[in-house]
Every structure is written in structure tokens, then in C-alpha cells.
Amino acid sequence: MTNNYFDIKRELLDTALKRTEDRISMIASALETARDSSTDDTKSSAGDKYETSREMIQQDINRYQKQLLEANKDLQQLLHIEAALNSDTDVARVGTLVQTNVGLYFIATSIGAVKIGDSNIFIISPLAPIGQLLIGKKIGDSFVFNNIDQKVSAIY
């Protein structure tokens, strides 16, 4: 692998880490706000309204806790990728940059398209449909995604 692709992978991983850390921060803040709302909510004369409000706040808290758990899992996966960034491989796996005739994919976590230089690179999860199709592929392997034939031309 040329040093250029190592630098691109490093930049992609840094971008994914930053976005994931930002997401964790936003979720934690929303969770704290919901918890504050729950403790600040005082029982009013409209008992049913109070119970409905408390239940809605609890549902928000549960949703934020689940999102926080998932975001922390993503962060841990990204931290594991860092150790394998500069290892060479001829098989698409987590931490690899895969070039197809359609585009460039970095298998890490679901972030979406990132522009590096003149290239749009998709940071995708290995669990996403395209990620599942890419994992295990070698140069020359083909697959179909969204009715589009793709062929792996390089793995970095």
C-alpha cells in the first residue's frame, strides 16, 4: 500500500472518530436534559397529564440510553481499527479501503460520504448491506448492490 492510501485511511478514521465522539456528546447531553426534566417534573393537579408526561420522558431516556450504547460500540470498533490501519491485506475487512468501479468504501462504521481531496469516500458499517457484500471480497471479485454491478479493483 502506498503511503498516500495510509494517509487517506488515517484521515477517514479520524473523521469517523470525531463524528462518533460528537454523536456521543450530543446523546449524553440530550440524556442529561431528559433526566433533568424527569426530576424537575412536579405533579400537577392534572394527574393523567403528569403520568403521560413522565412516561414520555422515560421513553426519551430509554431511547437515548440505547443510542448511547450503540454509539459507544461504534467508538470501540473504531479504536480497534486504529491498530490494524497499516496492515496489508488482499481481503476486504473492517479497516480496509475498497475501490470498486463505482466508488471508494472505507469499512468502519456508518458515517456516510466524506470528501477527501477530489474523492467522495463512503464510510460504511460492515453490518450495512453494502458492507456485508464487501466483507471477504478480493480484487477481481464482483457483486451487485442496488441493481448495479460492482467489481473490486483495489484493496488498501
Side-chain angles (χ1 to χ4, degrees), residues 8-127:
I8 290 171
K9 284 173 49 172
R10 174 83 256 162
E11 189 172 343
L12 290 167
L13 183 58
D14 288 346
T15 298
L17 282 165
K18 172 83 170 94
R19 288 192 186 175
T20 301
E21 288 166 350
D22 289 349
R23 193 169 100 226
I24 288 170
S25 194
M26 287 185 342
I27 295 167
S29 178
L31 180 58
E32 184 178 334
T33 300
R35 284 183 175 148
D36 288 347
S37 293
S38 177
T39 57
D40 290 344
D41 203 7
T42 58
K43 190 158 187 153
S44 67
S45 59
D48 287 346
K49 189 174 183 180
Y50 167 78
E51 291 303 323
T52 302
S53 173
R54 297 237 345 136
E55 177 58 29
M56 290 175 67
I57 292 169
Q58 188 57 50
Q59 287 176 8
D60 286 345
I61 289 171
N62 293 343
R63 187 178 72 248
Y64 292 137
Q65 287 173 330
K66 184 177 179 184
Q67 289 174 357
L68 191 58
L69 182 66
E70 290 302 314
N72 278 310
K73 282 182 189 175
D74 288 347
L75 181 62
Q76 290 307 309
Q77 181 171 334
L78 290 170
L79 293 173
H80 282 104
I81 290 172
E82 194 157 17
L85 249 195
N86 59 356
S87 62
D88 284 335
T89 183
D90 60 350
V91 177
R93 59 179 170 76
V94 173
T96 57
L97 182 62
V98 181
Q99 172 80 58
T100 73
N101 57 307
V102 173
L104 272 167
Y105 304 94
F106 182 60
I107 305 171
T109 189
S110 289
I111 298 291
V114 173
K115 191 157 180 82
I116 306 276
D118 293 336
S119 300
N120 277 326
I121 302 170
F122 295 93
I123 303 178
I124 60 167
S125 167
L127 301 177

